[in-house]
Amino acid sequence: MTQTSQRRVSIFGATGSIGQSTIDLIARDPDAYDVVALTGGHNVALLAQDAIRLKADIAITAHDENLPALRDALSGSGIEAAAGEAAIEEAAMRPADWVMSAIVGAAGLLPGLRALEAHATLALANKESLVTAGPLIMATAQAHHARILPVDSEHSAVFQGLVGEDMDAVERVIITASGGAFRDWPMEKLAHATLEQASAHPNWDMGQRITIDSASMFNKALEVIETKEYFGFDPDQIEVVVHPQSLVHALVGFNDGALMAHLGAPDMRHAIGYALHWPERRGLPVDRLDLARIATLEFRAPDEARYPALRLAREVMAAGGLCGAIFNAAKEAALDAFIAGRIGFMDMADVVERVLTDLDADVTLAHGAMTLDNVRAADQMGRRTARQVIDTHPAA
């Protein structure tokens, strides 16, 4: 009997929640996969543990100071250890059939580009890649005959809803938002929300940064832009509804009035597994919904006074150019400041809006050509301007 060859896979952001869910699925059928590279941040012990368990070729920490600890943890395993941005970039260029892009933030852009240039299928959980450089990412995939599969639960749901459909028949797409930790709070309380309160998601088990972004709806704002860039929809075709149960992940509306909805338990292994096994659909170890027990699904329009990030996302899409890179950079800097206790919860949107206003006048920066160098320059300027705004902001 001929033995089926293993699929070569790499996981960028292996120690985060998406990376861990990916590892969970791969570890259930280890003989089917040849793990090339795992990357992580400060959690060196977990990175080394998973690299040994999956027999990876190389494990990389993003932080140079963690390299000695990683080498010690991998001692005797035969697994290569490395550190830093250049090492992550080099790992992304190693031949692989399937690459999970789950590094959080703009740092995920370069490895994703390099994986596409190496002709890998890119399972994209790093939404910032499309927000900051959507046209560049999509053009790189096309030029190198590589495929991008969406892993955000909403975009995976839209992707699945479009299988076999005519894109010209699509009138609208609706992506859902849980509303985050503060969806039912009185508006007057939001300015005093604490870091601990913002870090507790009612439905999903996610990392701290994305959980806070969910509470502020910046995560959904990024996903609106991501929907435009990946699928090519007009911004006015993209809607957001608050759905507290997080069971309907997205809906696709067609010209005959039909809505096709994707439902599932709030478990990222749905979207990860779909991308991992595509174009097949295989069994996954996730909960099955009991609709009779659920009984009711709730939807409501988002309040843009509560969630100004959604308005800012539409302004960014209207502006185009490199404004997405500026938007994301300012958002990341504002989030850092909130976590550090330097600004309040509602101040994050104020910081981002001021940065967008200040830099929109710079036509060369905000509306320059979509190249990697220009995206990086816009990112750096966005962060620098955000820090300046934060320095002059009243303390939280």
Side-chain angles (χ1 to χ4, degrees):
M1 180 181 294
T2 302
Q3 191 170 22
T4 303
S5 61
Q6 292 179 308
R7 291 180 71 198
R8 297 169 300 176
V9 301
S10 290
I11 304 171
F12 290 80
T15 55
S17 61
I18 298 293
Q20 287 295 293
S21 292
T22 306
I23 287 171
D24 174 75
L25 294 178
I26 288 173
R28 291 169 186 269
D29 190 14
D31 293 338
Y33 303 99
D34 173 13
V35 178
V36 178
L38 300 181
T39 81
H42 288 295
N43 196 342
V44 169
L46 181 59
L47 177 61
Q49 172 187 303
D50 286 333
I52 292 169
R53 177 163 64 127
L54 298 180
K55 301 177 183 177
D57 295 339
I58 185 170
I60 306 154
T61 170
H63 309 286
D64 291 333
E65 66 271 20
N66 292 336
L67 182 55
L70 181 59
R71 283 177 173 154
D72 287 345
L74 292 174
S75 179
S77 68
I79 297 171
E80 185 181 352
E85 181 182 357
I88 293 173
E89 181 181 4
E90 186 277 330
M93 293 187 285
R94 296 191 180 199
D97 302 305
W98 188 90
V99 173
M100 168 57 74
S101 173
I103 295 174
V104 176
L109 172 60
L110 184 59
L113 284 170
R114 296 296 181 247
L116 291 172
E117 290 168 353
H119 312 290
T121 291
L122 186 68
L124 189 60
N126 174 257
K127 58 180 63 66
E128 293 86 357
S129 293
L130 287 170
V131 172
T132 61
L136 179 61
I137 283 281
M138 300 306 289
T140 300
Q142 184 176 19
H144 294 274
H145 307 288
R147 182 175 294 277
I148 301 173
L149 296 174
V151 173
D152 269 346
S153 60
E154 298 81 1
H155 304 91
S156 176
V158 174
F159 185 84
Q160 294 179 55
L162 290 171
V163 171
E165 299 290 351
D166 181 357
M167 288 288 286
D168 290 336
V170 177
E171 282 187 343
R172 58 181 177 147
V173 291
I174 304 169
I175 60 175
T176 60
S178 69
F182 305 136
R183 65 188 175 215
D184 298 317
W185 278 37
M187 279 289 295
E188 60 271 16
K189 283 186 61 178
L190 291 178
H192 307 290
T194 67
L195 176 61
E196 181 180 8
Q197 291 166 332
S199 301
H201 198 284
N203 300 339
W204 294 91
D205 180 14
M206 304 184 293
Q208 182 188 52
R209 296 180 71 85
I210 193 171
T211 300
I212 298 169
D213 279 348
S214 176
S216 67
M217 207 74 94
F218 266 109
N219 185 53
K220 202 58 50 180
L222 296 179
E223 289 174 358
V224 169
I225 300 172
E226 185 182 5
T227 302
K228 170 186 176 291
E229 297 296 343
Y230 182 83
F231 295 102
F233 293 124
D234 292 334
D236 59 7
Q237 290 180 284
I238 305 166
E239 304 172 24
V240 175
V241 297
V242 175
H243 170 51
Q245 293 95 342
S246 295
L247 300 177
V248 179
H249 304 302
L251 305 95
V252 181
F254 296 93
N255 57 7
D256 61 357
L259 281 173
M260 301 288 285
H262 178 285
L263 286 80
D267 187 329
M268 284 304 301
R269 291 178 298 178
H270 275 292
I272 295 166
Y274 188 83
L276 181 63
H277 301 310
W278 186 90
E280 298 179 27
R281 190 183 288 275
R282 299 185 189 174
L284 294 172
V286 298
D287 292 341
R288 272 52 175 171
L289 297 184
D290 182 342
L291 295 180
R293 182 180 60 82
I294 293 165
T296 302
L297 296 174
E298 178 187 353
F299 302 95
R300 57 189 192 235
D303 178 0
E304 292 199 357
R306 180 184 294 270
Y307 303 119
L310 295 176
R311 171 180 55 81
L312 295 175
R314 296 199 177 278
E315 292 174 3
V316 166
M317 290 189 292
L322 299 170
C323 288
I326 296 169
F327 176 66
N328 180 71
K331 189 278 296 184
E332 291 188 18
L335 177 56
D336 289 339
F338 173 66
I339 292 172
R342 298 188 60 200
I343 61 174
F345 178 76
M346 294 300 287
D347 296 328
M348 289 188 287
D350 291 340
V351 168
V352 174
E353 185 160 19
R354 283 186 56 186
V355 172
L356 288 170
T357 300
D358 289 350
L359 295 185
D360 186 58
D362 188 332
V363 176
T364 302
L365 175 66
H367 306 289
M370 184 60 68
T371 66
L372 181 58
D373 286 344
N374 284 350
V375 170
R376 285 179 150 179
D379 176 87
Q380 292 168 4
M381 181 59 76
R383 292 174 195 276
R384 186 159 54 247
T385 305
R387 288 192 293 268
Q388 293 167 354
V389 170
I390 292 163
D391 286 344
T392 62
H393 203 281

